[in-house]
Amino acid sequence: ELVVSAEVPGISTEDVEINVVGEMLELSGERKSEDLQEGARYHRQERGSGKFNRTIQLPFPVDVDNVEATFTNGVLNVTLPRAEADKPRKIAVKAV
């Protein structure tokens, strides 16, 4: 299996979308900007806001039905199990 980790602080699970298409993993979402009180302004802002999209080429076909995603402390982990048809098989050698 393959595990993909992405740091996405300040984003809720509802704002993240995960798709597997063929051997491509697509992560997309949106970080919404915080509303400031009237007259307030940032001195320094480390996190940007807006939409993001990442496409990652996977090294092997995955079992799409068993892909799992967890979100803990701003880190998204996507577990992608290898497709059964793509797993290596041991071939027995017969003596003749």
Side-chain angles (χ1 to χ4, degrees):
E1 72 181 10
L2 175 71
V3 177
V4 174
S5 294
E7 293 182 11
V8 285
I11 296 180
S12 68
T13 56
E14 294 84 30
D15 293 330
V16 176
E17 187 173 322
I18 303 167
N19 293 303
V20 177
V21 180
E23 292 182 23
M24 303 291 280
L25 171 67
E26 297 175 354
L27 301 175
S28 60
E30 182 174 7
R31 178 178 291 124
K32 297 175 180 156
S33 60
E34 296 178 20
D35 294 330
L36 293 176
Q37 296 176 359
E38 189 174 323
R41 61 188 176 116
Y42 287 111
H43 172 69
R44 181 178 184 132
Q45 184 175 4
E46 296 283 331
R47 281 190 221 147
S49 60
K51 294 182 179 185
F52 66 89
N53 185 10
R54 300 289 182 270
T55 302
I56 301 165
Q57 175 71 45
L58 302 173
F60 50 77
V62 299
D63 181 1
V64 180
D65 295 330
N66 291 313
V67 172
E68 293 182 0
T70 58
F71 192 71
T72 307
N73 295 330
V75 178
L76 174 67
N77 288 307
V78 183
T79 304
L80 304 136
R82 186 176 218 138
E84 194 64 37
D86 191 55
K87 289 184 180 176
R89 298 212 179 354
K90 185 173 181 176
I91 307 299
V93 178
K94 298 178 184 177
V96 241

